[in-house]
Amino acid sequence: MTDPNLLPAPLRSWAENTLGALTAARRLPSGSSPATVWHVVRGSDNARFHLKTAPSPGAFTRETFAYRHAVPALGPGNAPRLVATSARHLAMILTALPGAPLTQVRLTEAALRTVHWRAGMLVAELHQAGRPTTTARREAAALVSRLADAAPRHAETAGDRLSAEDHKFVMVLADHLCVLDRLPLGFIHGGGIEAGLRWSGTARPALQDFDRARFAPVVVDFVHLAYGLWAERPRVRTAFFDGYGRTLGAEERQALRCLTGLHAVRSLAEGLVRADQVAVDSARTVLDRLKSEVGV
């Protein structure tokens, strides 16, 4: 049986034809992205790269589009640089960023606020990058409706972990989401901003993993943060939006509440399928918090 941690020979051959001889190739642990990533080192100068294979043609197309048309707006050092792509292998070679994922770094409250203030500036640049085509604008506007339409399925999977009151609350969130039609659009990261942030010991974070990037209502990018970190540290949320350059409008705030609740239901359902009690408990906490906020 082939060792899944070894770089497959066809990929290594393509990478070496592009970069030159490699002296090391190490598969990285799975993160928030479903892609497979190897850390590779070029022998001639010890330069480090990531060789990334997308899980699907769609993910490959989204990420290569992002790196070519949106990510350059973030500026040098703020995101990986695309070196080469192979549609045959659904692969891309990216420059490797220094540091570690922000979620794995212990920071003081003050340092975390500073990092998120700078992250807000970075995300604002991404959201304003590029101009959507008519098709992309139509698809972006339809995304929120698709998320709302998935709510009954997730609620059914959650079964008796949702009370009748919970179920009604979730359906109200989904219905409300469908009538919010003036949400600002932009080019979003799509994969969870916090999970995509990388920190190297300076106040300036970098952003990676663009395989879910697309044009969409920008509020979608804030759901994972509202689901976790911002609920526990509201001053970090304030710092982020100070960097972002604006606060959310009234409809965006309503949309964020709805999207966070629907994300909780999805997380609850998926946690039950995986027998992940931590995910189930976190989702339950978020749902109860949202219900208390609206007086349910």
Side-chain angles (χ1 to χ4, degrees):
M1 180 178 294
T2 303
D3 185 345
N5 293 312
L6 293 178
L7 183 61
L11 276 177
R12 187 177 191 113
S13 176
W14 170 69
E16 292 194 326
N17 284 337
T18 303
L19 298 174
L22 303 177
T23 57
R26 171 175 57 90
R27 183 170 176 173
L28 299 180
S30 299
S32 60
S33 169
T36 303
V37 183
W38 285 269
H39 179 90
V40 301
V41 180
R42 182 166 56 194
S44 62
D45 57 2
N46 289 323
R48 302 178 304 115
F49 302 88
H50 284 170
L51 173 55
K52 185 172 186 178
T53 57
S56 68
F60 174 78
T61 299
R62 283 191 298 273
E63 189 152 22
T64 54
F65 178 90
Y67 276 112
R68 287 170 177 153
H69 300 285
V71 175
L74 302 184
N78 291 328
R81 178 174 57 84
L82 182 65
V83 176
T85 65
S86 170
R88 176 185 177 188
H89 299 297
L90 299 183
M92 63 201 78
I93 296 173
L94 306 162
T95 53
L97 295 173
L102 184 61
T103 53
Q104 298 177 13
V105 179
R106 294 175 65 93
L107 296 175
T108 65
E109 176 78 15
L112 190 61
R113 290 200 301 270
T114 299
V115 170
H116 275 257
W117 171 62
R118 290 189 176 273
M121 291 190 285
L122 198 62
V123 172
E125 292 288 348
L126 180 66
H127 286 175
Q128 296 166 28
R131 294 183 179 274
T133 63
T134 301
T135 298
R137 187 175 293 278
R138 184 168 57 249
E139 292 175 350
L143 173 64
V144 169
S145 295
R146 292 201 302 272
L147 294 174
D149 290 343
R153 183 175 73 254
H154 297 314
E156 182 178 356
T157 301
D160 60 7
R161 294 300 184 98
L162 292 180
S163 67
E165 181 184 81
D166 292 332
H167 194 278
K168 179 180 179 180
F169 176 66
V170 170
M171 293 305 104
V172 168
L173 293 179
D175 290 343
H176 194 165
L177 192 58
C178 288
V179 300
L180 298 175
D181 59 357
R182 292 189 296 274
L183 300 173
L185 302 181
F187 195 83
I188 70 167
H189 178 269
I193 291 297
E194 190 180 18
L197 288 171
R198 197 167 182 89
W199 190 73
S200 59
T202 68
R204 187 181 73 173
L207 191 60
Q208 62 184 17
D209 294 335
F210 294 91
D211 49 311
R212 295 186 180 94
R214 59 199 183 278
F215 287 102
V218 298
V219 68
V220 172
D221 252 349
F222 307 134
V223 172
H224 286 83
L225 286 162
Y227 184 86
L229 181 68
W230 286 351
E232 301 167 0
R233 300 187 177 185
R235 294 176 70 185
V236 173
R237 172 184 175 137
T238 299
F240 181 94
F241 283 111
D242 284 345
Y244 190 69
R246 71 172 179 88
T247 58
L248 298 181
E251 289 214 339
E252 287 179 298
R253 292 195 300 272
Q254 295 175 45
L256 184 57
R257 182 181 299 112
C258 295
L259 288 166
T260 303
L262 299 187
H263 180 74
V265 173
R266 175 179 175 177
S267 297
L268 176 62
E270 292 177 347
L272 289 170
V273 171
R274 300 192 310 268
D276 183 345
Q277 192 59 43
V278 173
V280 171
D281 292 343
S282 295
R284 184 69 261 175
T285 297
V286 171
L287 277 176
D288 290 341
R289 172 172 56 82
L290 290 172
K291 287 169 62 180
S292 68
E293 288 176 357
V294 298
V296 175

